[in-house]
Amino acid sequence: MKKGEVQALAGDDPHLYLIRERDKLVELATNLEGQYAKSTCCVLGLRGALIRNQPEVAGAISRAIVEAQAWTAANPDERAEIFAPFVPAKVTPETVAAILRSHTHDHHSTGAAFRDDVALFSSSST
């Protein structure tokens, strides 16, 4: 990159956030803007046998993740303090909080909106 041989980078946080900030790079696009801004970014997949044989467990897992995301969106500083020790590259809690504030942990597509999100992402990758 410093030699000018790289025209673009793709990846995930915290690595790209740190590189962008350190090297003063221009962000061209993310999954947090444009047509993707209100789309779900992550999908939880549960094994069919778990859903069939232990629906209460499958439901509890799903609710716990949604609740954790909502809590993260409402409390980025607290979440960052808890999570920072586990982030690669020894990222400070302040940086983790800044990254969390840029994410969409409070967005949860369901029903038709979720099907539209899946269609959007699957058609975008072809």
Side-chain angles (χ1 to χ4, degrees), residues 6-106:
V6 175
Q7 295 179 359
L9 295 173
D12 54 12
D13 292 328
H15 299 95
L16 285 188
Y17 179 92
L18 296 172
I19 292 168
R20 185 191 72 210
E21 296 299 307
R22 180 192 68 211
D23 296 333
K24 308 293 186 239
L25 300 177
V26 175
E27 188 170 82
L28 298 176
T30 76
N31 66 329
L32 303 173
E33 62 187 30
Q35 68 183 13
Y36 302 106
K38 291 298 179 183
S39 297
T40 196
C41 73
C42 305
V43 176
L44 170 66
L46 297 175
R47 190 177 69 240
L50 177 66
I51 295 167
R52 287 187 300 278
N53 300 333
Q54 297 179 292
E56 66 288 342
V57 172
I61 291 169
S62 299
R63 284 188 300 280
I65 290 174
V66 169
E67 289 171 13
Q69 288 178 307
W71 190 85
T72 294
N75 303 282
D77 295 318
E78 289 177 70
R79 172 60 74 207
E81 286 289 333
I82 295 166
F83 189 61
F86 305 99
V87 176
K90 298 182 183 179
V91 180
T92 67
E94 294 78 21
T95 299
V96 173
I99 293 169
L100 290 173
R101 281 189 189 87
S102 74
H103 291 178
T104 57
H105 293 287
D106 59 343

Side-chain angles (χ1 to χ4, degrees), residues 40 42-43 109-119:
T40 196
C42 305
V43 176
S109 296
T110 59
F114 177 71
R115 287 188 292 278
D116 290 345
D117 286 349
V118 171

Side-chain angles (χ1 to χ4, degrees), residues 1-8 25:
M1 188 172 77
K2 292 182 186 212
K3 290 181 186 179
E5 297 173 355
V6 175
Q7 295 179 359
L25 300 177

